[in-house]
Amino acid sequence: MILLQHAADLKKLLDTKRQANLTIGFVPTMGALHQGHLSLINRSKSENSITVCSIYVNPTQFNDPKDLEKYPRPIEHDIEILSAAHCDVLFLPLTEEVYPGGLNKLKHYELGHLENFLEGASRPGHFNGVANVVDRLLQFVQPDRLYLGQKDFQQVKVIEKVVTGLKPAIVMCPIVREADGLAMSSRNVRLNEVQRKNAAGISHQLFFIRDHGKEFPLAELKQQAVERINSIPEAQVDYLEFCDAEKFTLINNWKDAPKIVCVTSVLVGGVRLLDNMLLY
Ligand code: AMP
């Protein structure tokens, strides 16, 4: 695996690959890698000649400085995992190249309702920070395909909006879960043993909705799921909503959209956990 820090070196390397008609798959991450990230790497490897993974803890998408500070950064371990997965290139960009104008000179992206909706409402500025970093990384990598996880469903919708000029194909990969159902996340390591065990209960509500939901109105399902998750010790639902999976707008009835996604964000002991379930 080739490790690079400078965008110019990356471009030089990837230009030679493009000239040889090789395809490039790109997996942007913030590190603390787990099987969820590896599923994206593996998918990219199966569909492209070259797979580039980036690790960059993007400061502009953290609205809470404590969250940024506590974000895990086990870089040595990440390098080992990526090498073992036969990732071709690991790009570790430098803040001065990602944000040449400094962290306070962000571009503003027109994200429409996505910006202040659900996850965006709880984390002001978060998606604009995501848009800035992804747009910049795409300029550096110019991939044929961009691999994103369904776990961050709203983020996929945001990136679909941002990716207009260079237009890589976006491949959304399914959520990889722990054996008890909890969606894998770099933040899970911040849960203590009891919180970790209890957090699996979030996914169990989504499984119930997937398997039995059609028998009930959405409002009833929502109320029941929120009550059950809030009854988990130290758990507090931020939102749990049913959305049109294409437009990502709220819906009230099963018949309101052909493809529906149930999205939730739950704080467990103060750690923000996201999960969702496609219902089609
Ligand atoms: P992050 O490092 O959290 O920014 O995530 C990098 C990429 O991995 C994003 O596209 C995430 O949606 C994706 N990802 C994170 N967790 C999972 C998971 N459990 N299953 C599938 N993809 C994931």
Side-chain angles (χ1 to χ4, degrees):
M1 183 170 72
I2 300 171
L3 264 75
L4 296 171
Q5 285 200 296
H6 291 283
D9 296 335
L10 181 73
K11 186 171 180 303
K12 206 162 130 196
L13 173 75
L14 295 181
D15 278 349
T16 64
K17 306 294 180 193
R18 272 186 279 270
Q19 277 153 18
N21 276 329
L22 299 178
T23 59
I24 297 163
F26 179 39
V27 182
T29 81
M30 298 206 298
L33 303 179
H34 50 66
Q35 289 300 323
H37 297 110
L38 286 185
S39 74
L40 274 58
I41 300 281
N42 290 334
R43 179 80 179 266
S44 171
K45 281 187 65 68
S46 73
E47 295 176 348
N48 301 280
S49 329
I50 303 286
T51 290
V52 179
C53 175
S54 66
I55 296 182
Y56 179 65
V57 182
N58 175 34
T60 67
Q61 70 186 71
F62 288 82
N63 51 313
D64 174 359
K66 273 200 221 104
D67 193 24
L68 173 61
E69 194 187 306
K70 285 187 193 158
Y71 204 84
R73 292 166 172 87
I75 187 66
E76 300 297 330
H77 187 236
D78 285 349
I79 292 172
E80 274 171 33
I81 291 181
L82 287 172
S83 302
H86 305 289
C87 177
D88 301 291
V89 180
L90 171 57
F91 181 43
L92 299 164
L94 304 162
T95 293
E96 53 266 38
E97 291 192 7
V98 178
Y99 296 105
L103 294 175
N104 295 322
K105 284 233 169 72
L106 293 190
K107 238 173 110 176
H108 180 75
Y109 288 82
E110 199 38 73
L111 302 176
H113 81 289
L114 294 172
E115 184 163 2
N116 298 313
F117 180 57
L118 300 183
E119 198 60 16
S122 300
R123 305 180 67 187
H126 167 67
F127 285 126
N128 199 54
V130 169
N132 269 270
V133 76
V134 172
D135 194 15
R136 191 75 177 139
L137 292 173
L138 287 175
Q139 287 169 24
F140 293 154
V141 183
Q142 299 187 25
D144 297 280
R145 298 186 186 85
L146 172 64
Y147 293 83
L148 302 171
Q150 180 204 321
K151 190 186 67 87
D152 299 277
F153 192 85
Q154 190 170 355
Q155 174 169 280
V156 177
K157 295 287 161 189
V158 165
I159 295 172
E160 278 173 357
K161 258 197 125 130
V162 170
V163 174
T164 46
L166 298 163
K167 277 208 185 298
I170 292 183
V171 183
M172 184 172 81
C173 303
I175 301 175
V176 177
R177 298 178 178 282
E178 301 286 356
D180 61 3
L182 178 66
M184 287 190 185
S185 164
S186 307
R187 288 198 168 86
N188 292 351
V189 296
R190 284 170 51 194
L191 302 169
N192 68 31
E193 211 177 309
V194 177
Q195 291 164 342
R196 163 64 195 82
K197 206 161 163 253
N198 290 339
I202 302 165
S203 63
H204 299 165
Q205 292 311 310
L206 296 178
F207 296 142
F208 176 84
I209 290 169
R210 178 193 64 192
D211 298 336
H212 306 286
K214 292 260 159 67
E215 300 157 32
F216 304 95
L218 294 184
E220 196 179 317
L221 282 174
K222 175 178 162 176
Q223 192 194 355
Q224 200 178 60
V226 169
E227 271 172 23
R228 288 184 182 164
I229 295 172
N230 280 340
S231 72
I232 299 171
E234 292 187 81
Q236 179 67 50
V237 174
D238 181 17
Y239 59 81
L240 184 144
E241 297 291 354
F242 292 89
C243 291
D244 180 323
E246 297 295 338
K247 299 183 204 144
F248 207 61
T249 48
L250 292 183
I251 57 157
N252 298 313
N253 296 295
W254 282 106
K255 60 173 175 40
D256 286 352
K259 294 180 175 182
I260 296 173
V261 61
C262 178
V263 285
T264 188
S265 175
V266 181
L267 290 159
V268 177
V271 180
R272 191 170 188 84
L273 302 178
L274 299 185
D275 204 344
N276 66 76
M277 185 62 69
L278 295 172
L279 304 168
Y280 52 89

